[in-house]
Amino acid sequence: MDPELARLGHVALETPDLDGSLEFFRDAVGFEEVERNGDTSYLRAVDEFDHHSIALSEADEPGVDHIGWQTRKPEYLGEFEEILDEEDIDVTWIDAGEELGQGEAFRFTTPTGHEFEFYYEMEKPDPPAERRSKLKNKTYSRTTTNPIAPKRIDHVQLWDPAANDFREWLQEALNFRVQERYDRKDGSRWGTFLSANGNKIEAAVIEDENAANDPALHHIAYKVDTADDLFDAHDAMNEHGIPTDGIGQHSISRGKFLYVRDPVSGHRIEFNAGGYLVFDPEWETIEWQEGDLEDRQWIGQIESKARVDY
Amino acid sequence: MDPELARLGHVALETPDLDGSLEFFRDAVGFEEVERNGDTSYLRAVDEFDHHSIALSEADEPGVDHIGWQTRKPEYLGEFEEILDEEDIDVTWIDAGEELGQGEAFRFTTPTGHEFEFYYEMEKPDPPAERRSKLKNKTYSRTTTNPIAPKRIDHVQLWDPAANDFREWLQEALNFRVQERYDRKDGSRWGTFLSANGNKIEAAVIEDENAANDPALHHIAYKVDTADDLFDAHDAMNEHGIPTDGIGQHSISRGKFLYVRDPVSGHRIEFNAGGYLVFDPEWETIEWQEGDLEDRQWIGQIESKARVDY
Amino acid sequence: MDPELARLGHVALETPDLDGSLEFFRDAVGFEEVERNGDTSYLRAVDEFDHHSIALSEADEPGVDHIGWQTRKPEYLGEFEEILDEEDIDVTWIDAGEELGQGEAFRFTTPTGHEFEFYYEMEKPDPPAERRSKLKNKTYSRTTTNPIAPKRIDHVQLWDPAANDFREWLQEALNFRVQERYDRKDGSRWGTFLSANGNKIEAAVIEDENAANDPALHHIAYKVDTADDLFDAHDAMNEHGIPTDGIGQHSISRGKFLYVRDPVSGHRIEFNAGGYLVFDPEWETIEWQEGDLEDRQWIGQIESKARVDY
Amino acid sequence: MDPELARLGHVALETPDLDGSLEFFRDAVGFEEVERNGDTSYLRAVDEFDHHSIALSEADEPGVDHIGWQTRKPEYLGEFEEILDEEDIDVTWIDAGEELGQGEAFRFTTPTGHEFEFYYEMEKPDPPAERRSKLKNKTYSRTTTNPIAPKRIDHVQLWDPAANDFREWLQEALNFRVQERYDRKDGSRWGTFLSANGNKIEAAVIEDENAANDPALHHIAYKVDTADDLFDAHDAMNEHGIPTDGIGQHSISRGKFLYVRDPVSGHRIEFNAGGYLVFDPEWETIEWQEGDLEDRQWIGQIESKARVDY
């Protein structure tokens, strides 16, 4: 039985100005700051129980320190280490608590150059008592959170000059499944939309045709409920004077989107509504060909090619 | 490694008047009739790919023939059979295709008297070409479906005079996990909210205090998007002259609800919006005590104790 | 040409505990406190430009000081005074600024005992600069207001033992039009739904069958956008520990509602979504008879007979 | 006392292919065809009581026959005729019933070349019994209408090389009020947003800088409820294969929009959500200057300069 991942858990981002970036992530978008430790702020979305889904650290340059994945069982940590060892990939173990709230973990570089972290345990701290919802199955009372705040982490989009090698490795070494894929007219693969747990797309792997670029994170997507929530979030960005990359709906995944970037670090958040879940273990990959639709966007247009290298 | 279920798949219902019940399920609620076979109609929700999530058969009395669960892997069928055999529970194998669209399956009676079916394969027929969405990841064009039609099956609520025995057996023999539970002031358990796959509540097991009653299905819940969808569905029921059991929001599960029953058979559908998903394998059961809130409903009231015995 | 009213403008309420009532109106519901003057707080809804739509004053007992109506033209003030004089109704003139933000006005008691105020001018103060929306056609940036805050005043519901005399007088002396009405099976009138300006119901006049009661205000209704907003407002009331009188939809007016009362004064606010506008001067009164529908509520039930006498 | 208009009532459009255009207006967008008379189809929106808000006639070329305005009182027809006579504008009287459902009316050409019709009476036919809502204040049961169908006519946008002369004339001769206006940096007026009845923008008059163009109708706007309705309508257009001009939100009027054109005639419909109403007779014109915001769109972009000349 191969080890399995449970889900995308968090992303550790770097910014040249932590306070400046917190004006975006915490004050404008509405992530909750759960804990601060020196130059690192731990943030979560308002419907998350976990200690953090974003760790934001001050560094010389904007960057991505790692993308964190939770294993499905604690013993899978060791089993994944063995698999990586067979592939001559070194892992670096991180003590429990070194990343606040998190148990024992290890980090490694994927063959095409992305930084990943695997862990199993993550604390679930309660909000301050005066902000705790009366509902036991909800953390924050909505009366105390930013009304546009997204609910929970959904997926990351990764750019890679060797996207195909990368997604093959995700499938074969790490047991990711392919929920959708998009091929160009010449047969080459543009994008592969993978799931760690089989329920939803958690990693969109897109081919960066400029081989000179490094692998990069394009955005982190968080869930909101409706297209009206996207309009409300856009309205708030306007009031804060933060430019956006537009509203629309993807054909792939059916997700409705609003993209917006931290003006300080350039890190991009997607507010994402809609889409679909897969509970069927027999899901057949949705196979898009260039030309199936006039555009990869079902609604609207988005030109947001900027990336944060790491 | 114990065998696991993937999800709640379908419910096979019986009605004394198939055409009359189709006026409710197909015409008023908007389920799609995928195929008809003699006295059985196979229905699915408009955002389902599977052949059916309801099989509706004419019979002398309203009833529930079985509740169908898909296993996580094909080989788990046999492994579950062994587990049931050890518990002296007989299984009846059903040939592939006997239930239309479905692969090989078996049925059995749980120790407290519910009828279950386990299967792995289910066909995913396309809608008629003129109704197929241009989106490859969507079945029906929304321009061709009932605007109030729910999207996908979510959970069943089961009543049982021996609810605790039943939920223990679901946990121990079938690997269900407990997402939430509600205990009375005297310490007795009123309800247990279980998940087959760990992502969402799929079986609410409620204690029927009248020991004279048989185990029963209280309702089948289907997902819609918003509270406005509940109002729209209620509006449609009013226009069709179908009484409802009211609108509100549960504290447990956080699901917003509209309950409505087929006037012919009494089978009850829940339109369900909201709630939350669990992708964390370390989820800690939400433990409600009577008195935590004034009421089990966060919003509204619902008095809908009627059941369909089976 | 008879003088005409432009609209319902504001209601002046009395409470035995101003600070306590502000916890409801300002902190929980999200009205904006525009100005305070001694024992009176002037409040407006977040999408209003006017100085206030509620004036809340401390007094020995909860009560309604007056209901304020804006005339369609300044000269109509004098013309209405003449009409009232012909009916032997005394008016009391109020200097400009005595009620903060308001121009010259007069108050009087209607023949069945309601306290009305007529005025033409009302200031439109800007919010503090840091809260002003960048949109010139909007007062407050939504990033600075309570997310459940209602948008603008819509109507009042008035109870009266002599409701029919009252509504006849509103029609004949004050030129109110009847948008809808509801008659009992015995032919008697239960409710009349009148409009000052012809565009929407602004005064619901309901017969209080208990002749011992005084004329009373049942509630003040404010507009929100959707049924989901009603659920969100109910959720917020729950988190604040404020009981509600339930969610639903009226048949008359088609308004979706949530009723909630200030725990200190008992004054009731309706969050109201939906309904319809009339721009047609030839609108024909909608005539409901008891028995047309099973219930006066299209969706849900509401038992909220409590009133604030004045 | 000057005569007043009550509202924008309807637009009479011409198309080279009536059946083809009905595939757009009736089948795709969901207008209800109330009556057909030879080469003219009379359409209304699903929450309108009037006989029609669009009259669609077959003609050699796409065009606009007239824009119909209802007067506030029947006697204002004659009073407006006198005003027009003083301005040496000829009116052509139309017998009651010549335009189906409509009472006596007259048509005339405005000084800058738009075709207007004034009328007072319009029939309010009931839908077929099986489609009539049980609610007496609603025409069609929503169970029988297109789910994306807009609710009621809102405004027209008119292009004119002499836009300023035109809007001055609308103000002075016809008593239109200016709700908002937008001036360029050089002080010249780009757009004026006028109201016939004072409650909402009903005519947006935009300067067409190409003096060679004739006055033209840019679009007719109809109300829907939410931004999600705009996404749903866009989704339906995609499924029907009808291109759109995009989704967004105007700064002026705060209206959220989706523009879509009849592929046969080029006539453009705006699905419009949000905005605000004015019940205050003292409304102060909102004065925008180029540069107040980066863009005239608060959200999104729209490039839709095409016009239908008439």
Side-chain angles (χ1 to χ4, degrees):
Chain A
M1 183 85 188
D2 292 327
E4 292 176 288
L5 293 174
R7 56 167 173 162
L8 171 68
H10 63 270
V11 183
L13 300 171
E14 293 164 332
T15 174
D17 173 4
L18 180 60
D19 289 331
S21 284
L22 285 172
E23 288 180 21
F24 174 75
F25 285 100
R26 183 192 56 203
D27 303 339
V29 175
F31 287 106
E32 294 292 334
E33 187 171 30
V34 175
E35 202 167 358
R36 180 90 70 106
N37 185 21
D39 283 346
T40 300
S41 171
Y42 293 90
L43 302 158
R44 66 177 169 187
V46 296
D47 202 15
E48 291 178 335
F49 281 78
D50 287 308
H51 183 271
H52 60 277
S53 64
I54 290 182
L56 189 61
S57 300
E58 197 156 290
D60 289 343
E61 299 289 334
V64 180
D65 187 72
H66 64 265
I67 297 172
W69 302 89
Q70 187 185 24
T71 60
R72 197 162 179 244
K73 301 194 174 181
E75 61 267 29
Y76 289 167
L77 277 179
E79 295 180 29
F80 273 120
E81 186 189 20
E82 283 175 36
I83 287 169
L84 294 167
D85 188 57
E86 283 165 26
E87 306 215 7
D88 288 325
I89 294 174
D90 290 331
V91 310
T92 304
W93 284 89
I94 307 292
D95 286 344
E98 186 170 324
E99 184 170 325
L100 291 192
Q102 184 176 276
E104 193 182 39
F106 63 76
R107 295 179 190 160
F108 63 96
T109 306
T110 70
T112 65
H114 295 269
E115 300 294 328
F116 275 15
E117 179 184 70
F118 283 8
Y119 69 98
Y120 179 71
E121 281 180 22
M122 176 71 85
E123 290 174 17
K124 298 178 186 69
D126 240 14
E130 69 278 11
R131 303 190 56 208
R132 183 65 173 77
S133 173
K134 290 182 178 174
L135 287 170
K136 287 174 168 255
N137 48 17
K138 193 175 176 182
T139 42
Y140 298 90
S141 164
R142 190 170 170 278
T143 59
T144 71
T145 57
N146 186 327
I148 67 154
K151 302 295 177 66
R152 61 171 169 77
I153 195 166
D154 189 67
H155 69 264
V156 285
Q157 183 169 319
L158 303 171
W159 290 68
D160 199 320
N164 268 311
D165 294 342
F166 182 39
R167 63 94 183 155
E168 275 180 23
W169 184 80
L170 287 173
Q171 286 182 263
E172 289 163 22
L174 303 187
N175 281 320
F176 277 71
R177 275 143 282 179
V178 178
Q179 191 161 325
E180 305 198 24
R181 61 99 175 128
Y182 186 99
D183 286 350
R184 295 192 194 86
K185 280 182 178 159
D186 64 9
S188 67
R189 175 72 52 89
W190 172 77
T192 314
F193 302 83
L194 300 116
S195 181
N197 62 16
N199 295 132
K200 63 182 172 71
I201 294 163
E202 298 195 290
V205 173
I206 308 295
E207 185 177 273
D208 189 332
E209 297 167 48
N210 186 342
N213 286 336
D214 292 327
L217 173 73
H218 182 272
H219 68 259
I220 314 171
Y222 278 82
K223 275 289 172 193
V224 295
D225 290 333
T226 66
D228 276 282
D229 291 336
L230 303 179
F231 271 75
D232 285 348
H234 199 307
D235 175 83
M237 294 301 120
N238 290 359
E239 295 285 9
H240 284 289
I242 299 170
T244 82
D245 293 331
I247 265 178
Q249 182 178 8
H250 304 299
S251 299
I252 297 162
S253 86
R254 293 170 24 196
K256 293 164 189 165
F257 60 82
L258 166 69
Y259 288 111
V260 60
R261 273 182 280 171
D262 171 19
V264 170
S265 66
H267 289 302
R268 185 187 287 105
I269 295 293
E270 178 184 356
F271 290 78
N272 181 291
Y276 65 96
L277 294 162
V278 172
F279 298 113
D280 178 5
E282 284 269 273
W283 181 257
E284 292 162 16
T285 299
I286 302 291
E287 302 189 336
W288 298 90
Q289 296 291 139
E290 188 178 356
D292 279 337
L293 296 170
E294 278 177 40
D295 192 338
R296 280 194 288 259
Q297 308 306 349
W298 185 239
I299 293 178
Q301 281 177 292
I302 179 74
E303 295 297 335
S304 58
K305 293 295 166 60
R307 315 139 351 114
V308 175
D309 294 321
Y310 67 115
Chain B
M1 184 87 189
D2 292 327
E4 292 176 286
L5 293 175
R7 57 166 171 162
L8 171 67
H10 63 269
V11 182
L13 300 172
E14 293 164 332
T15 173
D17 174 4
L18 180 60
D19 289 331
S21 284
L22 285 172
E23 288 179 23
F24 174 75
F25 286 99
R26 182 192 57 202
D27 303 339
V29 174
F31 287 105
E32 293 291 334
E33 186 171 30
V34 175
E35 202 167 356
R36 180 89 71 106
N37 186 20
D39 282 347
T40 300
S41 171
Y42 292 90
L43 302 159
R44 65 177 169 187
V46 295
D47 202 13
E48 292 178 333
F49 281 78
D50 287 308
H51 184 272
H52 60 276
S53 64
I54 291 181
L56 189 60
S57 300
E58 196 157 292
D60 289 343
E61 298 290 333
V64 180
D65 188 71
H66 63 266
I67 297 173
W69 303 86
Q70 188 186 23
T71 59
R72 200 165 177 240
K73 301 194 175 183
E75 61 267 30
Y76 289 168
L77 277 179
E79 295 180 30
F80 273 119
E81 186 188 19
E82 283 174 37
I83 286 169
L84 294 167
D85 188 57
E86 283 166 25
E87 307 217 5
D88 288 325
I89 294 175
D90 291 330
V91 310
T92 305
W93 283 89
I94 308 292
D95 286 343
E98 186 169 325
E99 185 169 325
L100 290 193
Q102 182 175 279
E104 193 183 41
F106 64 76
R107 294 179 191 160
F108 63 96
T109 306
T110 70
T112 64
H114 295 269
E115 299 294 327
F116 275 15
E117 179 183 70
F118 283 7
Y119 68 99
Y120 179 71
E121 281 179 24
M122 177 71 84
E123 290 173 18
K124 298 177 184 68
D126 242 13
E130 70 279 9
R131 302 191 55 206
R132 183 65 173 77
S133 173
K134 289 182 177 173
L135 288 170
K136 286 172 170 257
N137 49 17
K138 192 175 175 182
T139 43
Y140 298 89
S141 164
R142 190 169 170 279
T143 60
T144 71
T145 57
N146 186 329
I148 66 154
K151 302 296 178 65
R152 59 171 172 76
I153 195 167
D154 189 68
H155 69 263
V156 285
Q157 183 169 318
L158 303 171
W159 289 69
D160 199 321
N164 267 311
D165 295 341
F166 182 38
R167 65 93 184 157
E168 274 180 24
W169 185 81
L170 288 173
Q171 286 182 263
E172 289 164 21
L174 302 187
N175 282 320
F176 277 72
R177 274 144 283 178
V178 178
Q179 191 161 323
E180 304 198 25
R181 61 98 175 128
Y182 187 98
D183 286 350
R184 295 192 194 86
K185 282 182 177 159
D186 64 10
S188 67
R189 176 72 53 87
W190 172 76
T192 314
F193 303 82
L194 301 117
S195 180
N197 61 18
N199 296 132
K200 62 181 172 72
I201 294 162
E202 297 195 292
V205 173
I206 307 296
E207 185 176 275
D208 189 332
E209 297 167 48
N210 186 343
N213 286 337
D214 292 327
L217 173 72
H218 181 273
H219 68 260
I220 314 172
Y222 278 82
K223 274 290 172 192
V224 295
D225 291 332
T226 66
D228 276 282
D229 291 336
L230 303 179
F231 271 75
D232 285 349
H234 198 308
D235 175 83
M237 292 303 120
N238 289 358
E239 296 284 9
H240 284 290
I242 299 170
T244 82
D245 293 330
I247 265 178
Q249 182 178 8
H250 304 298
S251 299
I252 298 163
S253 86
R254 292 168 28 194
K256 293 163 190 166
F257 60 80
L258 166 69
Y259 288 109
V260 59
R261 271 182 281 172
D262 171 20
V264 170
S265 67
H267 289 302
R268 184 188 286 106
I269 295 294
E270 179 184 356
F271 290 78
N272 181 292
Y276 65 97
L277 293 162
V278 172
F279 298 112
D280 179 4
E282 284 269 273
W283 181 256
E284 292 162 16
T285 299
I286 302 292
E287 301 188 336
W288 298 91
Q289 297 289 138
E290 188 178 357
D292 281 336
L293 298 170
E294 277 178 41
D295 192 337
R296 281 193 290 256
Q297 308 306 346
W298 185 239
I299 294 177
Q301 281 178 293
I302 178 73
E303 295 298 336
S304 57
K305 295 293 167 59
R307 311 132 1 107
V308 175
D309 295 321
Y310 67 114
Chain C
M1 184 85 188
D2 293 325
E4 291 176 287
L5 293 174
R7 57 166 173 163
L8 171 67
H10 62 269
V11 182
L13 300 172
E14 294 164 331
T15 173
D17 174 4
L18 180 59
D19 289 330
S21 284
L22 284 172
E23 288 179 22
F24 174 74
F25 286 99
R26 183 192 57 203
D27 303 337
V29 175
F31 286 106
E32 294 291 333
E33 186 170 31
V34 175
E35 203 167 355
R36 179 89 71 105
N37 185 21
D39 283 347
T40 300
S41 171
Y42 292 91
L43 303 159
R44 65 177 169 188
V46 296
D47 202 15
E48 291 178 334
F49 282 78
D50 287 308
H51 183 273
H52 60 275
S53 63
I54 290 182
L56 189 61
S57 300
E58 196 156 291
D60 289 342
E61 298 289 334
V64 180
D65 187 71
H66 63 265
I67 297 171
W69 303 87
Q70 187 185 25
T71 60
R72 199 165 177 238
K73 303 193 174 182
E75 62 266 29
Y76 289 168
L77 278 179
E79 295 180 29
F80 273 120
E81 186 188 20
E82 283 174 37
I83 286 169
L84 294 167
D85 187 58
E86 283 166 25
E87 306 217 6
D88 288 324
I89 294 175
D90 291 330
V91 311
T92 304
W93 283 89
I94 308 291
D95 287 343
E98 186 170 324
E99 185 170 324
L100 291 193
Q102 183 176 277
E104 194 183 42
F106 63 75
R107 295 179 189 159
F108 62 96
T109 305
T110 69
T112 64
H114 296 268
E115 300 294 327
F116 275 14
E117 179 184 69
F118 283 7
Y119 69 100
Y120 179 72
E121 281 179 23
M122 177 70 84
E123 291 174 18
K124 298 177 184 67
D126 241 13
E130 71 279 8
R131 303 191 54 207
R132 183 65 173 76
S133 174
K134 290 182 178 172
L135 288 170
K136 287 171 169 257
N137 49 17
K138 192 175 176 182
T139 42
Y140 298 90
S141 164
R142 190 170 171 278
T143 60
T144 71
T145 57
N146 186 327
I148 67 153
K151 302 296 178 65
R152 60 172 171 76
I153 195 167
D154 190 67
H155 69 264
V156 284
Q157 182 169 319
L158 303 171
W159 289 69
D160 200 320
N164 267 312
D165 294 341
F166 182 39
R167 64 92 184 158
E168 274 180 24
W169 185 81
L170 288 172
Q171 285 181 263
E172 288 164 22
L174 302 187
N175 282 319
F176 277 71
R177 276 142 283 177
V178 178
Q179 192 160 323
E180 305 197 25
R181 61 97 175 129
Y182 186 99
D183 286 351
R184 296 192 194 86
K185 281 183 178 160
D186 64 10
S188 67
R189 174 74 52 89
W190 172 76
T192 314
F193 303 84
L194 300 116
S195 181
N197 61 17
N199 296 132
K200 61 182 173 71
I201 293 162
E202 297 195 292
V205 173
I206 308 296
E207 185 176 275
D208 189 331
E209 296 168 48
N210 186 344
N213 287 338
D214 292 327
L217 172 73
H218 182 271
H219 68 261
I220 313 171
Y222 278 82
K223 274 290 171 192
V224 295
D225 291 333
T226 65
D228 276 281
D229 291 337
L230 302 179
F231 271 75
D232 285 348
H234 198 308
D235 175 82
M237 293 302 121
N238 289 358
E239 296 284 8
H240 284 290
I242 299 169
T244 82
D245 292 331
I247 265 179
Q249 181 177 8
H250 304 298
S251 299
I252 298 162
S253 87
R254 291 169 27 194
K256 294 164 189 166
F257 60 81
L258 166 69
Y259 288 110
V260 59
R261 272 182 280 172
D262 171 20
V264 170
S265 68
H267 289 302
R268 184 188 286 107
I269 295 294
E270 179 184 356
F271 290 78
N272 181 291
Y276 64 96
L277 294 162
V278 172
F279 298 112
D280 178 5
E282 284 269 273
W283 181 257
E284 293 161 16
T285 298
I286 303 291
E287 302 188 335
W288 298 91
Q289 296 289 139
E290 188 178 356
D292 281 336
L293 296 170
E294 276 178 42
D295 191 338
R296 280 193 290 258
Q297 308 305 347
W298 184 239
I299 293 177
Q301 280 179 291
I302 178 73
E303 293 299 335
S304 58
K305 293 295 167 60
R307 313 137 351 115
V308 176
D309 294 321
Y310 66 116
Chain D
M1 183 83 189
D2 291 326
E4 292 175 287
L5 293 175
R7 56 166 174 163
L8 171 68
H10 63 269
V11 182
L13 300 171
E14 293 164 333
T15 174
D17 174 4
L18 180 59
D19 289 331
S21 285
L22 285 172
E23 288 179 20
F24 174 75
F25 286 99
R26 183 193 56 203
D27 303 338
V29 174
F31 287 106
E32 293 292 332
E33 187 169 30
V34 174
E35 202 166 357
R36 181 90 70 106
N37 184 21
D39 283 346
T40 300
S41 171
Y42 293 91
L43 302 158
R44 65 177 169 187
V46 296
D47 202 15
E48 292 178 333
F49 281 79
D50 286 308
H51 183 272
H52 60 276
S53 64
I54 290 182
L56 189 61
S57 299
E58 197 157 290
D60 289 343
E61 298 289 334
V64 179
D65 188 71
H66 63 266
I67 297 172
W69 302 88
Q70 187 186 24
T71 59
R72 198 162 178 242
K73 301 193 176 182
E75 60 267 29
Y76 289 167
L77 276 179
E79 296 180 28
F80 273 119
E81 186 188 21
E82 283 175 35
I83 287 169
L84 294 167
D85 188 57
E86 283 167 25
E87 306 217 6
D88 288 325
I89 294 174
D90 290 331
V91 310
T92 304
W93 284 89
I94 308 292
D95 286 343
E98 187 170 321
E99 184 170 325
L100 291 193
Q102 183 176 276
E104 193 183 40
F106 63 76
R107 296 179 190 160
F108 63 96
T109 306
T110 70
T112 64
H114 295 268
E115 300 294 329
F116 276 15
E117 180 183 69
F118 284 8
Y119 68 99
Y120 179 71
E121 281 180 22
M122 177 71 84
E123 290 173 16
K124 298 177 185 69
D126 242 12
E130 70 279 9
R131 303 191 54 208
R132 182 65 172 77
S133 173
K134 290 183 178 173
L135 288 170
K136 287 173 169 256
N137 49 16
K138 192 174 177 183
T139 42
Y140 298 90
S141 164
R142 191 171 169 278
T143 59
T144 71
T145 58
N146 186 327
I148 67 153
K151 301 296 177 64
R152 60 172 170 76
I153 195 167
D154 189 68
H155 69 264
V156 285
Q157 182 169 319
L158 303 171
W159 289 69
D160 199 319
N164 267 312
D165 295 342
F166 182 38
R167 64 95 183 155
E168 274 180 23
W169 185 80
L170 288 173
Q171 286 182 263
E172 290 164 21
L174 303 187
N175 282 320
F176 277 72
R177 276 142 282 178
V178 178
Q179 191 160 325
E180 306 198 24
R181 61 97 175 130
Y182 186 99
D183 285 352
R184 296 192 193 84
K185 281 182 178 158
D186 64 9
S188 68
R189 175 72 52 88
W190 172 76
T192 314
F193 302 83
L194 301 116
S195 182
N197 61 17
N199 296 133
K200 63 182 172 71
I201 293 163
E202 298 195 290
V205 173
I206 308 296
E207 185 177 273
D208 189 333
E209 297 168 46
N210 187 344
N213 286 337
D214 292 327
L217 172 74
H218 181 272
H219 68 260
I220 314 171
Y222 279 82
K223 275 289 172 194
V224 295
D225 291 331
T226 66
D228 276 282
D229 291 336
L230 303 179
F231 270 75
D232 285 348
H234 198 308
D235 175 82
M237 293 302 121
N238 290 358
E239 296 284 9
H240 284 290
I242 299 170
T244 82
D245 293 331
I247 265 178
Q249 182 178 8
H250 304 299
S251 298
I252 299 162
S253 86
R254 293 170 24 194
K256 293 164 190 165
F257 59 82
L258 166 70
Y259 288 111
V260 60
R261 272 182 281 171
D262 172 18
V264 170
S265 68
H267 289 302
R268 185 187 286 106
I269 294 294
E270 178 184 355
F271 290 78
N272 181 291
Y276 65 97
L277 293 163
V278 172
F279 298 113
D280 178 5
E282 283 269 274
W283 181 255
E284 294 162 15
T285 298
I286 303 291
E287 301 188 336
W288 298 91
Q289 296 291 139
E290 189 178 356
D292 280 337
L293 297 170
E294 278 177 43
D295 191 338
R296 281 194 290 258
Q297 309 305 348
W298 184 240
I299 293 177
Q301 281 178 293
I302 178 74
E303 294 298 334
S304 58
K305 293 296 166 59
R307 314 138 353 114
V308 175
D309 295 322
Y310 67 114

